[in-house]
Amino acid sequence: MQRVQLNLTGKHMLTLLDYSPEEMEHLLTVSSKLKKEQKQGDPNDSLKGKSLGMIFENASTRTRVSFEVGMTQLGGHSLFLSPRDLQIGRGEPIKDTANVLSRYVDAIMIRTNSHETVAEFAQHASVPVINALTDSFHPCQALADGLTILEHKGTLKGNKLVYIGDGNNVAHSLLALGAKTGMDVTIASPKGYEVDQDIFKRASAAAKETGAMLQLSNDPLEAAKGADILYTDVWASMGFEKEQLNREKAFAGYQINEDLAKHAKADYLFLHCLPAHRGEEVGASIIDGPHSVVYDQAENRLHVQKAILSEVISHNK
């Protein structure tokens, strides 16, 4: 029996916890379809005449390029907007900026520090708002991670993903990804750097629907046992550079290296959202080795971004 296609038009993308398992499956299916079309040279101009406003409070490589190229490949147009380009950088209320931009563009993408900023934009915008990264969540990255795992493992459900490192926005979104897809996720972090407990509780509640097992640990070696996927991120994310030395001490023993990887399955995948610091959170032989799929993962940001855009923006021309 053919499943009815879901209509996500007009829905905000703030966190994967807001999406149902069926919607998650649909987004991953559309991502795969758009990727295949692009590789075959089959253009898709479903967003012809549409515009995306991109607000960046932080520097970006993969996020900016993938969204800009994605809109172009779908026939649309994107506008890069830094705080220097907007009156919001001079104190204009978010409510006013969100309302005005909604009159000009068909969707708003925001990469910012505070998750409350994106939530407030979504509250006042009349067009879809996409969270491209906040201090709490990184849903676009997690969807790209999901697509990568799906391509290499054939499924997400039943796999064990072990994230070793800071309990940050990436860790939160991986918990959400697992909860919505049935993938088991363990987060191993040093004491004092664990994930937000409220977010973990929300993800755990959502996991009951799919049967995913979500766990927290302070022991990276124990956590890595039987892992299908090993994942890490930088120890000092953007905004925490002043804590670099303290974090290096706290995270000693949390590097994904050859010794730790021996605890994972023989065919494990290594993922990293990039940029990476070889010799810190990951050894060079791991990220540059045969188990690493970090460049596939980075490429998939493009295809996932296109799926999000094509689904949340109206297709009416």
Side-chain angles (χ1 to χ4, degrees):
M1 181 176 179
Q2 187 174 6
R3 182 169 53 82
V4 177
Q5 181 169 324
L6 301 170
N7 179 15
L8 302 181
T9 300
K11 185 166 184 175
H12 300 306
M13 165 66 79
L14 304 186
T15 165
L16 299 184
L17 291 173
D18 295 335
Y19 280 69
S20 69
E22 292 77 20
E23 289 171 328
M24 290 282 292
E25 180 185 355
H26 180 68
L27 283 171
L28 290 171
T29 299
V30 174
S31 300
S32 296
K33 175 177 177 291
L34 290 172
K35 182 175 183 177
K36 183 178 180 180
E37 290 176 350
Q38 186 64 33
K39 297 293 186 182
Q40 293 177 340
D42 184 13
N44 181 320
D45 65 349
S46 60
L47 295 187
K48 184 177 181 180
K50 304 297 182 181
S51 295
L52 172 70
M54 306 192 307
I55 300 175
F56 283 88
E57 287 190 355
N58 294 316
S60 168
T61 298
R62 282 152 289 277
T63 298
R64 178 177 177 178
V65 174
S66 57
F67 268 108
E68 283 200 21
V69 172
M71 277 299 287
T72 299
Q73 290 183 355
L74 291 171
H77 174 68
S78 57
L79 301 91
F80 175 81
L81 304 168
S82 74
R84 295 184 300 274
D85 301 318
L86 298 170
Q87 293 296 333
I88 195 173
R90 299 172 60 190
E92 181 176 58
I94 290 175
K95 175 182 178 180
D96 294 347
T97 301
N99 273 290
V100 171
L101 286 181
S102 295
R103 305 295 181 99
Y104 299 146
V105 300
D106 299 285
I108 301 169
M109 182 231 80
I110 310 176
R111 182 183 174 99
T112 185
N113 297 312
S114 171
H115 190 75
E116 286 68 28
T117 298
V118 170
E120 189 173 353
F121 253 94
Q123 179 183 353
H124 297 291
S126 57
V127 297
V129 173
I130 301 168
N131 173 9
L133 178 145
T134 66
D135 56 356
S136 297
F137 295 103
H138 201 351
C140 299
Q141 177 64 58
L143 272 175
D145 302 337
L147 179 60
T148 306
I149 295 166
L150 187 62
E151 290 175 338
H152 287 272
K153 294 293 188 181
T155 182
L156 278 77
K157 188 174 181 63
N159 277 294
K160 178 183 178 181
L161 182 149
V162 177
Y163 171 95
I164 296 175
D166 190 21
N168 58 14
N169 49 7
V170 172
H172 293 157
S173 290
L174 289 172
L175 287 170
L177 176 69
K180 297 296 182 175
T181 62
M183 179 174 64
D184 298 337
V185 177
T186 298
I187 307 294
S189 305
K191 291 183 179 179
Y193 296 91
E194 296 97 339
V195 299
D196 181 274
Q197 283 299 310
D198 288 339
I199 293 176
F200 181 72
K201 289 177 182 177
R202 288 178 60 193
S204 297
K208 293 178 181 178
E209 184 177 354
T210 62
M213 181 180 296
L214 306 184
Q215 296 180 310
L216 303 181
S217 173
N218 298 121
D219 187 337
L221 295 180
E222 183 65 27
K225 289 182 178 179
D228 297 286
I229 303 107
L230 293 176
Y231 195 128
T232 192
D233 191 7
V234 295
W235 290 342
S237 299
M238 194 177 299
F240 293 94
E241 291 85 356
K242 292 182 179 180
E243 299 180 13
Q244 178 67 33
L245 292 179
N246 289 334
R247 283 174 174 260
E248 286 179 6
K249 294 177 182 178
F251 284 85
Y254 284 78
Q255 182 188 85
I256 296 184
N257 50 35
E258 296 288 351
D259 289 337
L260 185 143
K262 290 177 182 177
H263 295 268
K265 290 183 179 178
D267 62 346
Y268 78 91
L269 299 178
F270 173 74
L271 273 66
H272 192 305
C273 55
L274 302 180
H277 296 161
R278 289 165 174 80
E280 288 187 17
E281 74 273 8
V282 60
S285 64
I286 297 294
I287 192 171
D288 298 318
H291 296 274
S292 177
V293 291
V294 296
Y295 298 131
D296 291 347
Q297 182 186 4
E299 178 191 342
N300 282 337
R301 288 291 303 277
L302 169 63
H303 308 298
V304 161
Q305 252 79 293
K306 288 170 66 176
I308 294 169
L309 291 167
S310 66
E311 290 302 304
V312 303
I313 298 177
S314 173
H315 291 194
N316 296 326
K317 299 182 181 180

